[in-house]
């Protein structure tokens, strides 16, 4: 994972008001396997910034990595 990757939270985080599947963007690598993730609404207004380990995140893809014939 790297900065600007779009990710989804794979667990509930009620303490921060986040649900499993909530979508965010990695904005900084804090340490190996640790990322600062910004969660924003559809208007681009941030509502949470969290430091999260890689195992709590699923990287999302908008297109296939290989061309399918």
């Amino acid at each position: 994972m790297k900065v600007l990757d779009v990710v989804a939270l794979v667990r509930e985080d009620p303490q921060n008001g986040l649900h499993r599947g909530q979508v965010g963007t990695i904005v900084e690598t804090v340490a190996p396997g640790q990322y600062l993730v910004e969660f924003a609404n559809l208007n681009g207004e941030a509502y949470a910034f969290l430091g999260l380990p890689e195992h709590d995140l699923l990287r999302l893809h908008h297109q296939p990595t290989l061309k399918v014939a």
Side-chain angles (χ1 to χ4, degrees):
M1 292 189 186
K2 62 187 183 319
V3 172
L4 298 182
D5 278 350
V6 177
V7 295
L9 190 60
V10 298
R11 63 170 176 79
E12 293 289 320
D13 189 351
Q15 183 177 4
N16 291 297
L18 298 173
H19 300 284
R20 183 176 187 263
Q22 206 105 32
V23 176
T25 303
I26 295 176
V27 294
E28 186 176 337
T29 301
V30 180
Q34 292 281 342
Y35 304 95
L36 179 62
V37 180
E38 175 190 70
F39 294 90
N41 63 24
L42 293 175
N43 294 324
E45 300 162 332
Y47 55 84
F49 285 91
L50 291 177
L52 294 165
E54 186 170 348
H55 63 82
D56 283 349
L57 302 170
L58 172 67
R59 191 170 140 228
L60 301 178
H61 303 273
H62 295 285
Q63 57 190 2
T65 54
L66 298 176
K67 195 172 192 175
V68 179

